[in-house]
Amino acid sequence: MLDSFFKISERGSTVGREVRGGLVTFFTMAYIVALNPLIIGLAKDADGKFIGGGDAPNLALVAAMTALMAGILTILMGLVGNYPLALATGLGLNTFVAVGIASKMTWADAMGLIVLEGIIITILVLTGFRTAVFKAVPAQLKIAISVGIGLFIALIGLVDAGFVRRTGSGPVPVTLGADGTLVGWPIIIFAIGLFLMIALMVRKTKGALLIGISVATVLAVLAEKAFKIHAGFIAKGGVEFMTNGTNKLPAEYKGFLIPSGDYVNPKGWSLNVPAVPTEWIQTPDFSLLGHFSLFGGFAEISLVAAVLLVFTLLLSDFFDTVGTVTAIGHEGGLIDKDGNIPYNEQILLVDSLAAVAGGAASISSNTSYIESASGVGEGARTGLASVVTGLCFLLTTLFAPVVAMIPYEAATPALIIVGFLMMTQISGIDWSDYGIAIPAFLTIILMPFTYNITVGIGAGFITHVVIRAIQGRRKEIH
């Protein structure tokens, strides 16, 4: 029955290979259950509230919903698209939502924009327009967008880990560590986690990112227990936050200021302090489901600004998914002689609905993961592998409290690695053609330098049109 439904033999695979491939994909991308809460769960909206509307972060809440949606959507991809492709909250997109959207409105309004984007992209799939729009943007600019987001993600990882810090004054906006030096156990934990992930990747170890996060977290918990490092941030007015409970500001902290006016403990944890949870397993809380306002964002910011934000989300979903699906198809030998992918429309439909589901679940847009290639490399060729991966994610919902013990320093090395993987696509840009090279260059550098994905995309599109017009190659402008 499995062979007939998933066409396992027809694609040259076996049930065993599909199960093994599904497990490998899960262990390769399961880090998102730990990383997504640290990206959107610790960010505040325009009202100063954390996701879910609370005054304090609830990482377990975000982790449970992240795992639930990843499980449901990945299983749906396996059953409907019959493709070895897993879905979860999109890295890069979730950072953009936390930094570029939620900071301008409430979380419900921000998630409403994601749902709206998902609805639009679903309509485009059903009408066949998604392919037409995809073809309108030069392929090399699509690569530049992906590379730029990769650098943006890497910078965020370095900043959140405390490896790169804002100076707050002077001609240089950022510096290495605290006042030009790397100090404290959290930085050591970050370095150990990064080098461990690099070593495991070089040795082609499956689940390198997950293993790296896990080992770094254990070391972080042990370091905190032994040395009482405490948190790195101290609130305004000299009141300590998550430290030793006193109200006196230690003298050694006074030289470290960030633009907001908060004091920083240069040797402390960037955000959450690692500690062993009192409960390892609990009934998952899915109360975030339905916390969105479809058009609320349009009331918070201007119509043009809201449309641009939706358009940015739309672009990312468009280009990331098509690139991922094509890459997986080539890796698994699933592309036919005409370059087509089996069940292409069904695959794109599930991916589009994933954006809607992610917004409706208040965990940011869900999308296809290139890490699925690890499962394909292990032998996966059909949707059965996706079903296996999805079931693993569903089981993960029971262990959501564990993510509360993971500090940024243990998880952010994964952002550096993901940034590197996205950067490798840069070889696909023709640097001898200035009409592409200059727009691609501006797209790539302006995303991290301005801390804004939209700025990079806008600069790339505008300069491409201007240069092609100057060159007299207007026919190449769609």
Side-chain angles (χ1 to χ4, degrees):
M1 182 183 66
L2 288 175
D3 185 78
S4 175
F5 183 83
F6 290 106
K7 305 184 185 302
I8 298 174
S9 299
E10 182 180 321
R11 297 189 184 179
S13 184
T14 65
V15 172
R17 286 173 61 181
E18 296 301 312
V19 172
R20 188 169 65 252
L23 290 173
V24 168
T25 294
F26 170 75
F27 285 115
T28 304
M29 60 177 285
Y31 66 87
I32 190 60
V33 179
L35 202 54
N36 191 44
L38 294 177
I39 293 175
I40 68 171
L42 291 171
K44 294 181 180 180
D45 62 16
D47 293 336
K49 300 291 185 180
F50 291 95
I51 196 165
D55 294 321
N58 191 333
L59 302 187
L61 192 68
V62 180
M65 189 59 72
T66 299
L68 175 68
M69 298 313 298
I72 292 174
L73 293 168
T74 301
I75 291 174
L76 188 64
M77 176 63 76
L79 297 177
V80 177
N82 194 20
Y83 207 62
L85 189 64
L87 300 92
T89 302
L91 274 177
L93 276 176
N94 57 357
T95 303
F96 175 53
V97 171
V99 176
I101 300 181
S103 60
K104 299 177 174 63
M105 58 191 72
T106 68
W107 277 109
D109 294 336
M111 294 303 163
L113 293 184
I114 294 174
V115 173
L116 185 61
E117 175 266 329
I119 293 173
I120 294 173
I121 205 170
T122 301
I123 294 173
L124 295 180
V125 170
L126 295 175
T127 59
F129 190 67
R130 184 173 188 179
T131 302
V133 173
F134 178 75
K135 292 179 179 178
V137 180
Q140 295 181 62
L141 276 186
K142 300 170 191 172
I143 294 174
I145 291 171
S146 182
V147 172
I149 291 175
L151 286 180
F152 184 46
I153 289 173
L155 176 61
I156 289 172
L158 291 170
V159 171
D160 288 343
F163 193 91
V164 172
R165 303 196 185 197
R166 301 173 180 86
T167 57
S169 62
V172 182
V174 293
T175 186
L176 175 71
D179 201 23
T181 58
L182 297 175
V183 295
W185 277 103
I187 289 294
I188 294 176
I189 299 298
F190 168 78
I192 292 174
L194 179 60
F195 279 109
L196 177 58
M197 291 181 190
I198 292 173
L200 293 173
M201 286 187 63
V202 170
R203 295 181 64 86
K204 301 187 184 301
T205 302
K206 306 299 182 184
L209 299 184
L210 182 62
I211 294 172
I213 291 175
S214 300
V215 172
T217 298
V218 172
L219 293 177
V221 171
L222 294 176
E224 173 62 28
K225 189 174 183 62
F227 302 108
K228 305 298 181 186
I229 302 164
H230 306 310
F233 289 91
I234 303 173
K236 294 177 183 178
V239 179
E240 296 189 51
F241 174 63
M242 291 176 66
T243 54
N244 57 18
T246 67
N247 292 329
K248 184 178 180 180
L249 180 67
E252 64 268 24
Y253 296 168
K254 292 182 179 179
F256 299 92
L257 296 173
I258 57 177
S260 67
D262 295 345
Y263 291 99
V264 175
N265 167 14
K267 298 181 181 181
W269 303 103
S270 291
L271 286 172
N272 55 317
V273 176
V276 178
T278 55
E279 290 182 305
W280 290 85
I281 300 176
Q282 70 177 28
T283 303
D285 183 354
F286 301 133
S287 60
L288 281 178
L289 188 63
H291 282 209
F292 70 94
S293 174
L294 191 59
F295 297 105
F298 291 88
E300 297 291 333
I301 57 178
S302 69
L303 176 63
V304 173
V307 170
L308 282 175
L309 290 175
V310 172
F311 182 65
T312 300
L313 294 169
L314 191 70
L315 283 178
S316 183
D317 264 346
F318 254 79
F319 306 141
D320 184 66
T321 298
V322 174
T324 299
V325 171
T326 302
I328 297 299
H330 282 293
E331 178 77 14
L334 300 175
I335 306 291
D336 64 21
K337 58 183 179 62
D338 297 320
N340 297 318
I341 300 170
Y343 300 101
N344 182 60
E345 291 184 2
Q346 290 91 327
I347 293 170
L348 292 178
L349 179 61
V350 173
D351 183 86
S352 301
L353 293 173
V356 179
S362 298
I363 54 166
S364 185
S365 178
N366 276 228
T367 189
S368 302
Y369 263 59
I370 192 61
E371 283 86 348
S372 305
S374 63
V376 173
E378 196 69 25
R381 296 293 182 271
T382 74
L384 178 58
S386 296
V387 172
V388 172
T389 303
L391 290 174
C392 290
F393 271 117
L394 292 182
L395 287 175
T396 307
T397 60
L398 298 173
F399 300 94
V402 178
V403 301
M405 67 187 287
I406 303 174
Y408 251 172
E409 289 78 3
T412 48
L415 291 179
I416 311 301
I417 300 299
V418 172
F420 157 73
L421 293 174
M422 298 178 75
M423 184 72 182
T424 58
Q425 303 175 53
I426 201 170
S427 60
I429 298 174
D430 181 4
W431 295 102
S432 64
D433 180 359
Y434 286 0
I436 281 292
I438 293 176
F441 171 71
L442 291 175
T443 298
I444 292 170
I445 65 167
L446 285 177
M447 287 187 187
F449 287 175
T450 65
Y451 229 62
N452 192 307
I453 294 173
T454 313
V455 171
I457 293 175
F461 282 9
I462 291 170
T463 51
H464 172 68
V465 171
V466 171
I467 294 174
R468 283 292 186 246
I470 294 173
Q471 291 175 324
R473 297 164 63 177
R474 295 178 179 84
K475 292 184 179 179
E476 297 181 31
I477 303 172
H478 196 287

